[in-house]
Amino acid sequence: MAKQMKYQTIKEVFRRFHELEPEPKGELHHTNAYTLTVAVALSAQATDAGVNKATRDLFKIADTPQKMLALGLDGLTEHIKTIGLFRQKAKNVIKMSQLLVDEFDGEVPSSRAALISLPGVGRKTANVVLNMWFHMPTQAVDTHIFRLGNRTGIAPGKDVDAVERAIEDNVPAEYQLHAHHWLILHGRYVCKARKPVCANCIIRDLCPFEEKTL
């Protein structure tokens, strides 16, 4: 774990991220708050590409809680059977859809506490939905961000909650809205787990990672 990076250095890191990609986007396909919530819940221990492939046809016929319930558990399971843990995820999506209809008039709530009350929705999923759909500066820490935060010192922490707090505490306010997207994309395509592509890294000169690769 690297030491906490200095504030001015972090500011320069995100200035460069912003310059390279001013409006970073998540890679999960969705059409509304509900399909986003379902897609993020399905993406746990699965790739975004795999989820997008499974939901391409699903969301054409079930883009609301009511339509998902009409499709039913067996119908949903058939659509997402290529995704890891698909049986449990299908059960959660059906339960989530029922709860949205019963308790929230079929609408995805804009409260973290309410989102976390939904089956299959944890803090990370809630933060993604709040950020991507409701444009709140929440930080969804996945394995990429956890690794990157600790490797670079941008947001070191022993667990995902600590890394989330470190991002909130140390990233300048003007970059908070897109911070987790910049970090995810950088961790996914440049600062990879086994072989980081340091030669292509725009923050290489600011990063304390000792095992820089060529």
Side-chain angles (χ1 to χ4, degrees):
M1 181 189 300
K3 293 191 299 182
Q4 175 66 57
M5 187 179 282
K6 293 181 179 179
Y7 177 81
Q8 288 301 325
T9 307
I10 293 176
K11 189 171 184 178
E12 174 60 16
V13 166
F14 282 92
R15 185 197 69 77
R16 295 182 191 183
F17 285 159
H18 177 268
E19 185 176 51
L20 182 68
E21 183 61 67
E23 294 288 334
K25 305 294 183 184
E27 297 183 324
L28 285 172
H29 297 165
H30 60 282
T31 57
N32 54 31
Y34 174 71
T35 55
L36 174 61
T37 306
V38 171
V40 179
L42 293 177
S43 72
Q45 296 179 286
T47 65
D48 287 359
V51 173
N52 289 338
K53 184 177 180 180
T55 59
R56 185 182 299 120
D57 293 329
L58 171 65
F59 289 159
K60 291 178 182 178
I61 59 175
D63 60 353
T64 68
Q66 294 88 344
K67 291 178 183 178
M68 191 67 77
L69 291 172
L71 179 63
L73 179 61
D74 290 343
L76 171 58
T77 301
E78 185 63 25
H79 276 279
I80 67 169
K81 63 184 180 182
T82 57
I83 300 175
L85 306 176
F86 68 95
R87 294 188 190 281
Q88 185 57 50
K89 289 177 180 178
K91 291 177 182 177
N92 284 338
V93 169
I94 293 298
K95 290 178 182 177
M96 173 207 303
S97 302
Q98 190 65 61
L99 193 60
L100 285 172
V101 170
D102 293 343
E103 302 292 336
F104 299 99
D105 297 321
E107 299 294 327
V108 173
S110 59
S111 153
R112 181 188 282 129
L115 283 166
I116 292 176
S117 74
L118 300 173
V121 177
R123 185 179 180 88
K124 186 183 78 170
T125 296
N127 282 347
V128 173
V129 174
L130 292 173
N131 182 275
M132 289 182 64
W133 192 260
F134 296 104
H135 307 296
M136 298 182 187
T138 51
Q139 307 303 330
V141 179
D142 68 350
T143 55
H144 297 299
I145 294 181
F146 183 78
R147 176 181 69 254
L148 183 60
N150 280 291
R151 180 182 279 172
T152 64
I154 292 172
K158 293 182 178 180
D159 54 40
V160 293
D161 291 338
V163 171
E164 180 182 336
R165 289 193 298 272
I167 296 173
E168 293 173 343
D169 291 345
N170 296 292
V171 174
E174 63 265 35
Y175 299 123
Q176 287 277 334
L177 180 61
H178 294 312
H180 97 270
H181 277 131
W182 281 316
L183 293 172
I184 285 174
L185 293 172
H186 193 69
R188 183 174 290 166
Y189 297 112
V190 181
C191 198
K192 300 177 182 179
R194 294 184 180 179
K195 292 185 178 181
V197 193
C198 297
N200 295 342
C201 179
I202 63 171
I203 63 168
R204 184 182 183 190
D205 58 313
L206 306 175
C207 175
F209 182 53
E210 294 180 357
E211 302 170 34
K212 290 189 175 79
T213 60
L214 298 177

